[in-house]
Amino acid sequence: MQEILAIVRMNKTSATKKALVEAGVAGFTAFKVMGRGKLIDDPAVVAERKDKMMSMAGADEADAEMLIDGFLDGHRLFPRRLFTILAHDEDVPRIVEAIMSANRTENKVGDGKIIVMPMLDAIRVRTGEAGEDAV
């Protein structure tokens, strides 16, 4: 048994749900979360992005620079959706591929993260079934 955690963009929630159902996932849970991914270390890339964002925001806005710096320096958190899925070992590759297909963009930063972890046990509360039977 495995637990799959998938952190995806909020606007990909419906596509992810549809992909999970089409992949045969019996059930899953979704949470609204806030988070931050890997930051860009190259100062030239950061400066280029800041210039681009300033031009889009209107450089004369007093708060624009502070807001943009918050996006780029890492102290701002972004809304995301966290899916948790319990799966049989043999189903994991199919489920992971479905999540990746639903969330991959044109090589943009922030497409998400998938984490697969072993699960020790699961118990269905209604029936008391445990282990593989509860998944």
Side-chain angles (χ1 to χ4, degrees):
M1 295 180 299
Q2 307 277 338
E3 180 180 23
I4 303 167
L5 301 177
I7 303 162
V8 304
R9 296 176 190 268
M10 292 295 283
N11 65 346
K12 294 290 190 172
T13 300
S14 292
T16 303
K17 289 190 300 187
K18 183 178 179 184
L20 290 171
V21 169
E22 288 175 356
V25 175
F28 51 86
T29 305
F31 303 91
K32 288 181 181 178
V33 295
M34 301 288 284
R36 180 78 197 188
K38 183 178 180 182
L39 299 178
I40 300 165
D41 296 332
D42 185 350
V45 173
V46 171
E48 179 184 329
R49 286 191 176 178
K50 183 175 180 180
D51 289 345
K52 183 178 179 183
M53 292 172 87
M54 285 296 287
S55 68
M56 290 185 331
D60 52 83
E61 286 187 38
D63 294 332
E65 186 165 6
M66 184 177 72
L67 197 66
I68 290 167
D69 284 340
F71 277 104
L72 297 174
D73 73 4
H75 75 265
R76 186 167 190 303
L77 298 176
F78 298 96
R80 295 287 185 255
R81 186 73 69 177
L82 170 67
F83 285 86
T84 63
I85 303 113
L86 305 181
H88 299 286
D89 293 341
E90 63 272 11
D91 297 333
V92 171
R94 185 180 74 250
I95 295 167
V96 167
E97 183 54 40
I99 295 167
M100 288 175 56
S101 295
N103 288 280
R104 189 175 289 133
T105 62
E106 299 293 322
N107 201 22
K108 291 181 185 174
V109 173
D111 282 350
K113 182 88 59 187
I114 300 171
I115 302 149
V116 180
M117 301 177 295
M119 191 173 59
L120 296 176
D121 201 2
I123 295 105
R124 180 171 287 127
V125 174
R126 180 176 51 84
T127 62
E129 294 170 290
E132 293 283 337
D133 293 336
V135 176

